[in-house]
Amino acid sequence: MILGKIEKLFHTRGDIAYLGEPVTQLEHALQTAALAQSEGAAPELVTACLLHDLGHLLKDYGQTPTTRGIDDRHPQIVAAFLKGYFDEDVIEPLRLHVEAKRYLCHQDPDYASALSADSVRSLALQGGPHSADEARLFASRPHALRAVQLRRWDDRAKCANTPTPTLTHFLEIAAMLAKRTSAA
Ligand SMILES: [Fe+2]
Ligand SMILES: [Fe+2]
C-alpha cells in the first residue's frame, strides 16, 4: 500500500516545478536516485534519495513557498509518512537532508556559495548554517554521513533534460526494502 501511495503521489503531483529549479519534482527525485546508484550507493540510500523530497508533494504550500517566508518542513513530513514502512537506513538520511545542508554550509564555504537561489532562501528559514556545536552534534549522529552523501547528490540533481532510469526501476528497489507489514 505504501508503494502504491508513493507511485500515485509522483504520478499526480510529480510534474510540479521543483521550487524554482529547472526540473520537476519527479525529475529531481529520479536524478538524485540515479546519481546515488551510479556511484554505487546501497539500495537503502538510493531509495532515500528517491523519496527525500516527497514531503513537498504530501503537503501543498503552492509554488516556491520560500519566497513567502515558509519553511515547509518537508523532511519531517516525509519521515513521518514513511515511518513503520521502511527501516531507519532509508528514513534517517532523508530526514536529515536539510540538517546536512546546514552542516555543509558550516564546514565548507565553497558549498554555501554554490547553493541555488532557492536553497539559499530555504537555508535562512531552516536556521542558517550550523554553529560549531550544532555541527559537532550532527556529525555524531549514526546516519550523518549518508545524509551528507544524499545532500551532495540532491544539490546536483537539478539539471534540465537529463536522462535517468524510470520511476518503476526505483520503485522496484524500494519494494524490496519495504517492511512486510499488512499495510505495506
Ligand atoms: Fe529537500
Ligand atoms: Fe531535493
Side-chain angles (χ1 to χ4, degrees):
M1 194 163 98
I2 189 69
L3 286 158
K5 286 183 183 175
I6 292 167
E7 185 173 21
K8 188 172 177 193
L9 274 168
F10 277 125
H11 279 148
T12 56
R13 308 208 57 224
D15 62 344
I16 64 176
Y18 175 77
L19 296 177
E21 310 287 357
V23 286
T24 66
Q25 287 285 344
L26 177 58
E27 288 169 335
H28 176 64
L30 295 177
Q31 285 183 29
T32 310
L35 285 165
Q37 190 170 55
S38 72
E39 294 188 23
E44 289 81 359
L45 191 50
V46 172
T47 298
C49 286
L50 179 75
L51 303 178
H52 77 281
D53 276 341
L54 205 65
H56 289 311
L57 306 186
L58 284 161
K59 199 146 188 191
D60 186 5
Y61 284 99
Q63 291 281 332
T64 319
T66 54
T67 58
R68 285 171 280 122
I70 296 170
D71 172 16
D72 67 5
R73 297 180 52 79
H74 63 280
Q76 291 84 354
I77 289 171
V78 66
F81 175 71
L82 298 175
K83 192 171 166 33
Y85 297 110
F86 290 95
D87 283 331
E88 64 176 29
D89 285 351
V90 174
I91 294 178
E92 282 301 288
L94 65 81
R95 190 177 69 80
L96 294 172
H97 80 272
V98 164
E99 285 303 309
K101 177 174 72 169
R102 297 182 64 208
Y103 172 78
L104 285 165
C105 287
H106 169 82
Q107 294 289 105
D108 181 357
D110 290 341
Y111 175 84
S113 63
L115 285 175
S116 67
D118 191 66
S119 286
V120 171
R121 272 195 304 273
S122 58
L123 175 67
L125 297 168
Q126 291 154 349
H130 273 167
S131 67
D133 283 348
E134 286 173 327
R136 243 190 318 275
L137 182 63
F138 173 82
S140 73
R141 291 174 183 267
H143 296 277
L145 177 60
R146 284 181 282 279
V148 166
Q149 289 177 301
L150 187 160
R151 185 74 220 185
R152 297 265 191 202
W153 293 316
D154 179 10
D155 290 319
R156 290 164 53 199
K158 299 173 180 176
C159 301
N161 304 316
T162 299
T164 63
T166 63
L167 177 61
T168 301
H169 167 79
F170 289 117
L171 287 177
E172 284 171 359
I173 294 171
M176 291 190 294
L177 303 172
K179 291 186 180 181
R180 301 285 172 241
T181 67
S182 57

